[in-house]
Amino acid sequence: MSHKKLFAGSEMMVLAVRNLLEENDISYIIRDDIDSAIGAGYGALGKAVNVLVNEENLEKAKALLKENDLTE
């Protein structure tokens, strides 16, 4: 399975996206570049938390974000 980026934003916005995906039984992966950067001794700015979904669920997930006004 191939994962594609669905959303990138702050940790707070990603929590809302995560909850929406869970409510709709869409599996996801969260890649937190902020924690990774801190662990490596660097800082991170901007939209550093990414939500990835399986390619087969990408269009459904995008539609859910649009319906719920969750945009990057």
Side-chain angles (χ1 to χ4, degrees):
M1 284 184 230
S2 176
H3 289 87
K4 300 291 181 184
K5 185 175 95 169
L6 169 68
F7 184 85
S10 69
E11 290 180 85
M12 294 299 290
M13 290 298 296
V14 167
L15 288 175
V17 171
R18 183 191 73 184
N19 290 338
L20 183 63
L21 294 174
E22 287 177 355
E23 289 170 5
N24 289 277
D25 296 320
I26 298 175
S27 62
Y28 60 90
I29 295 172
I30 294 179
R31 188 182 79 212
D32 189 341
D33 293 342
I34 294 172
D35 281 345
S36 296
I38 290 170
Y42 301 102
L45 298 172
K47 299 176 179 180
V49 183
N50 298 281
V51 179
L52 310 168
V53 297
N54 289 330
E55 191 171 9
E56 63 192 34
N57 294 325
L58 185 60
E59 292 307 314
K60 178 181 177 184
K62 282 182 179 180
L64 285 169
L65 293 185
K66 188 174 182 177
E67 288 172 17
N68 290 277
D69 293 322
L70 291 170
T71 57
E72 295 184 66

